[in-house]
C-alpha cells in the first residue's frame, strides 16, 4: 500500500483540535437542543410556523451531534476507524444529512423573517403552519435524497496498515466523485448562502430605512441597532456552519 507523509500540523489538527472541537459541539449541542425541544414540547400548546421551523432545526442539530462521538474517537486515535464499514457509512450519512438539513432550515428561517419584515401584509397569507409543515417535510426528503450517494462513496479502507473511514471517497474515485461534490457545493452551500445573505441584507436595509424615516430617538436607535446586530450574527453563524460543511466535504 502506498505510504503517505503525515504533516505534523495536520496530525495535531486531527488528534487534538478536531476531537476537542467536536467534543464541545457534542456537549453544547446535546444540552441546548435537548433543552429547547423539551421546553417547546412541554410548554408550547399552539405551534406557529416559526416554532415548526425552530423545532426542525433543533432536531437536525441534535441528530448531527449524535454522529460526532465516533468521529471524536477516530480522530483522537489518529484517524484509525475501529467501528466497521456499516457504521462508517451510517455516521457519514447521518453527519452530512443533518448538517445540510440544519443549513436548509436556517435558510427557511431567513426566508420566513424576510417575508415578515419586507412584506408584512403578504406575510399574513404566506406564513402559515401548513406551508411550514410542507417546507419542513420537503427539506428532510430532498436533503436525504441529496446525501444518499454518501452510502456508496463513504467506506473503510487501509492506509499505512491502518483502517480509516473515508469522508466521502478515496483518491482513486475522485473523478467519479467530483461532479457529485460540485453538485453539493452549489445546491447545498452556494444557493442557500446567496439566499440567506440576500434576505438578511434586504431586512437590514428595510429596518434601517424605516427607523431613519421615523422620529429618531434613543429608543428607536437602540431597537434598530439591536435588530441589525442580530441579523449580522445570523449571517455569521450560517456562514460558519456552511464553511464547516465544505471543510468536511473537502477532507
Amino acid at each position: 500500500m502506498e505510504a503517505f507523509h503525515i504533516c505534523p500540523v495536520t496530525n495535531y489538527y486531527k488528534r487534538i483540535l478536531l476531537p476537542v472541537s467536536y467534543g464541545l459541539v457534542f456537549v453544547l449541542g446535546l444540552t441546548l437542543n435537548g433543552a429547547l425541544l423539551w421546553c417547546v414540547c412541554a410548554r408550547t400548546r399552539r405551534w406557529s410556523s416559526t416554532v415548526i421551523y425552530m423545532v426542525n432545526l433543533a432536531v437536525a442539530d441534535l441528530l448531527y451531534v449524535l454522529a460526532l462521538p465516533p468521529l471524536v474517537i477516530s480522530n483522537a486515535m489518529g484517524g484509525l476507524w475501529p467501528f466497521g464499514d456499516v457504521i462508517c457509512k451510517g455516521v457519514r450519512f447521518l453527519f452530512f444529512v443533518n448538517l445540510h438539513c440544519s443549513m436548509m432550515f436556517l435558510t427557511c428561517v431567513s426566508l420566513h423573517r424576510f417575508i415578515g419584515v419586507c412584506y408584512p401584509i403578504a406575510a399574513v397569507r404566506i406564513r402559515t403552519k401548513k406551508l411550514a409543515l410542507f417546507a419542513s417535510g420537503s427539506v428532510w426528503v430532498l436533503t436525504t435524497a441529496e446525501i444518499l450517494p454518501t452510502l456508496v462513496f463513504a467506506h473503510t479502507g487501509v492506509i499505512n496498515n491502518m483502517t480509516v473511514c473515508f469522508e466521502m471517497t478515496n483518491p482513486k474515485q475522485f473523478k467519479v466523485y467530483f461532479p457529485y461534490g460540485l453538485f453539493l457545493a452549489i445546491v447545498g452551500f452556494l444557493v442557500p448562502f446567496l439566499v440567506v445573505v440576500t434576505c438578511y441584507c434586504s431586512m437590514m436595509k428595510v429596518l434601517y430605512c424605516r427607523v431613519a424615516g421615523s422620529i429618531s430617538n434613543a429608543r428607536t436607535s437602540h431597537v434598530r441597532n439591536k435588530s441589525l446586530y442580530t441579523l449580522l450574527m445570523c449571517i455569521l453563524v450560517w456562514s460558519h456552519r456552511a464553511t464547516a460543511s465544505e471543510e468536511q466535504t473537502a477532507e
Side-chain angles (χ1 to χ4, degrees), residues 14 54 78 85 109 114 117 167 185 195 203 205 213 239:
K14 288 190 174 182
M54 295 307 296
D85 188 68
V109 171
F114 166 76
V117 172
E167 293 282 346
V195 171
M203 283 188 282
K205 180 180 178 181
S239 300

Side-chain angles (χ1 to χ4, degrees), residues 167-195:
E167 293 282 346
M168 295 295 285
T169 187
N170 59 29
K172 294 180 180 180
Q173 292 182 315
F174 178 76
K175 291 184 179 180
V176 178
Y177 169 75
F178 180 76
Y180 174 62
L182 184 62
F183 168 79
L184 282 183
I186 295 174
V187 176
F189 168 69
L190 181 60
V191 173
F193 177 76
L194 292 176
V195 171

Side-chain angles (χ1 to χ4, degrees), residues 147-206:
I147 306 298
L148 272 178
T150 302
L151 296 175
V152 176
F153 286 114
H155 64 282
T156 56
V158 178
I159 295 180
N160 296 334
N161 297 320
M162 181 176 67
T163 302
V164 299
C165 177
F166 290 106
E167 293 282 346
M168 295 295 285
T169 187
N170 59 29
K172 294 180 180 180
Q173 292 182 315
F174 178 76
K175 291 184 179 180
V176 178
Y177 169 75
F178 180 76
Y180 174 62
L182 184 62
F183 168 79
L184 282 183
I186 295 174
V187 176
F189 168 69
L190 181 60
V191 173
F193 177 76
L194 292 176
V195 171
V196 169
V197 170
T198 301
C199 287
Y200 282 121
C201 287
S202 299
M203 283 188 282
M204 286 189 286
K205 180 180 178 181
V206 169

Side-chain angles (χ1 to χ4, degrees), residues 70-123:
L71 300 179
V72 172
I73 297 172
S74 176
N75 283 296
M77 297 173 67
L80 174 65
W81 185 261
F83 304 108
D85 188 68
V86 174
I87 296 181
C88 171
K89 292 178 179 291
V91 167
R92 297 304 184 192
F93 178 75
L94 188 65
F95 182 93
F96 282 105
V97 163
N98 293 290
L99 184 61
H100 280 255
C101 274
S102 296
M103 291 191 292
M104 291 307 297
F105 282 122
L106 286 173
T107 305
C108 290
V109 171
S110 303
L111 287 169
H112 185 77
R113 292 173 176 172
F114 166 76
I115 295 172
V117 172
C118 299
Y119 302 96
I121 298 177

Side-chain angles (χ1 to χ4, degrees), residues 120-134:
I121 298 177
V124 177
R125 176 173 52 86
I126 297 175
R127 300 199 312 177
T128 62
K129 288 176 58 177
K130 183 180 294 186
L131 180 60
L133 290 171
F134 175 78

